[in-house]
Amino acid sequence: MNLPVGFTKNIPIEFRHIIAFIAVAEKLNFKKASIALNMTQPGLTRIINRLEDDLGASLFKRTTRSVELTESGSVFLQEVIPALDRLNTAIIKTQNAEAGNIGYLRVAYMSFAINKNLPSILKKFQEQFPGIRLDLTYIPTPEQKKQLIDSKIDIGFIVGNFSNPFVEQLPFIKEELVAVLPEGHRLSDKQCVSISDLKDEEFILGTPKDWKAFLKIINQLCLQSNFNPKVRQYVDTIDGIFGMVAAKMGITIFAACASNFQHIGLVIKRLEDKSAEVTTTAVWLKNNKSKSLSKFLDFIKIFADESAD
């Protein structure tokens, strides 16, 4: 054990000795201090004498009529009070950590989750558990899966599910999919459209590297309508996708949270296909015994969309 520089481990000072000293220092009367401590006056005197012997310093000037702090006693009192405050804080923080109220969680998210109701849920969690620090990082679904297995994140919010024997998962948000069209598009006057209506359209989609899980959903929907999507351009970012659609370079399919984006030149249409939906799933390792994670999971389960099951 590495002790602080200058710390001596040979002084057998007991916590009760310090409490007794503070009581006498506050009352400046051994009788009153002994009553406050619920002990005999001779017993209190022996404790103070023992403390003075251990410190090698006289803490009180005593006469038959009065008790005063010595200069050494005043120094000890000034130093020991904040030390006890720090010790009390350490005890409280330790107990909170044991209860899971203090800790650190690495949380990964992808675009659909952070543009739906996850931010407000995280804010509520932080308000209720201010001692648990959330380190939030945007990570695409494929990379989240890798980092979760490598224990680089504690919990992730991914597209679809993660079938892995080491992983627990909670369907969190289920969203309808929508067609995002440029203004003036031939389908822009329809109340809703079907996947088959998009058969001859050119698609603007996210890059396979980062959007692999979502592209799989789109491809399956299109195959159900007997066509493969004709991809004009793969784009890295949501803004890039919507920008190219607004520029009339193609159309895209996106989660209903697309309506949260303010982008001039877009028309959003509900898809009438019943299977046109995407689920955001919370995933974490089964062997992660973090009490902070347990608190977080209990909290988000309250807000999990029942329709996502």
Side-chain angles (χ1 to χ4, degrees):
M1 176 180 177
N2 295 321
L3 295 172
V5 176
F7 185 90
T8 175
K9 56 184 178 180
N10 298 319
I11 299 178
I13 296 176
E14 296 182 27
F15 185 73
R16 62 191 182 94
H17 294 176
I18 296 175
I19 297 301
F21 162 74
I22 293 173
V24 177
E26 290 178 344
K27 303 290 186 182
L28 292 178
N29 185 295
F30 273 76
K31 183 177 181 180
K32 291 180 180 179
S34 65
I35 293 172
L37 294 169
N38 195 28
M39 63 188 304
T40 66
Q41 186 173 334
L44 176 58
T45 300
R46 285 194 297 272
I47 287 176
I48 296 301
N49 289 339
R50 171 68 184 275
L51 180 60
E52 289 178 322
D53 289 342
D54 289 339
L55 289 172
S58 177
L59 301 174
F60 296 101
K61 297 176 185 177
R62 306 162 194 157
T63 70
T64 55
R65 295 184 178 181
S66 67
V67 175
E68 296 178 6
L69 281 166
T70 63
E71 183 176 351
S72 299
S74 295
V75 169
F76 189 59
L77 181 65
Q78 290 172 7
E79 295 296 330
V80 82
I81 292 294
L84 287 180
D85 287 341
R86 288 194 295 273
L87 177 60
N88 185 58
T89 299
I91 291 171
I92 292 172
K93 286 186 175 182
T94 299
Q95 292 172 339
N96 279 330
E98 180 66 19
N101 295 327
I102 289 180
Y104 170 72
L105 288 177
R106 299 160 298 177
V107 181
Y109 63 89
M110 49 72 195
S111 302
F112 301 151
I114 208 64
N115 287 295
K116 188 65 173 173
N117 56 354
L118 183 61
S120 63
I121 293 172
L122 296 178
K123 181 181 178 182
K124 290 175 182 176
F125 179 81
Q126 288 281 238
E127 290 171 350
Q128 187 168 333
F129 299 99
I132 300 178
R133 177 187 163 194
L134 300 181
D135 184 4
L136 305 173
T137 309
Y138 170 79
I139 304 176
T141 292
E143 184 61 24
Q144 278 195 51
K145 292 180 178 180
K146 293 178 184 177
Q147 292 201 21
L148 184 66
I149 294 300
D150 292 338
S151 296
K152 293 181 179 179
I153 59 174
D154 295 299
I155 185 167
F157 291 87
I158 67 170
V159 172
N161 57 33
F162 189 6
S163 298
N164 185 292
F166 301 105
V167 173
E168 292 277 10
Q169 52 188 339
L170 170 69
F172 190 62
I173 302 168
K174 180 175 283 186
E175 290 188 83
E176 292 183 340
L177 295 179
V178 296
V180 184
L181 315 171
E183 284 184 346
H185 189 275
R186 64 182 178 84
L187 299 173
S188 59
D189 291 333
K190 296 188 67 172
Q191 185 173 356
C192 60
V193 300
S194 68
I195 296 293
S196 59
D197 290 332
L198 308 176
K199 181 177 181 179
D200 297 322
E201 299 293 330
E202 292 188 315
F203 282 71
I204 308 296
L205 299 175
T207 55
K209 176 178 177 292
D210 293 341
W211 295 72
K212 180 179 178 181
F214 187 56
L215 291 179
K216 183 178 179 181
I217 293 172
I218 293 177
N219 287 330
Q220 288 175 341
L221 285 172
C222 292
L223 283 174
Q224 289 172 13
S225 293
N226 300 312
F227 75 97
N228 288 310
K230 293 185 291 186
V231 182
R232 175 169 181 174
Q233 185 74 45
Y234 289 111
V235 185
D236 289 328
T237 66
I238 295 174
D239 284 342
I241 293 171
F242 289 170
M244 294 191 74
V245 172
K248 303 183 185 298
M249 298 183 70
I251 61 95
T252 196
I253 295 174
F254 207 79
C257 64
S259 59
N260 296 334
F261 292 86
Q262 299 297 321
H263 210 301
I264 298 173
L266 296 181
V267 175
I268 298 174
K269 294 295 177 179
R270 182 172 168 270
L271 289 170
E272 59 188 22
D273 306 71
K274 291 183 178 180
S275 59
E277 57 190 21
V278 59
T279 300
T280 295
T281 305
V283 293
W284 64 96
L285 289 178
K286 291 180 179 179
N287 65 358
N288 189 335
K289 303 304 180 184
S290 164
K291 292 182 179 179
S292 295
L293 176 61
S294 180
K295 290 275 186 183
F296 186 71
L297 291 173
D298 288 343
F299 188 85
I300 67 170
K301 285 174 183 176
I302 299 171
F303 299 93
D305 187 348
E306 292 181 359
S307 67
D309 293 327

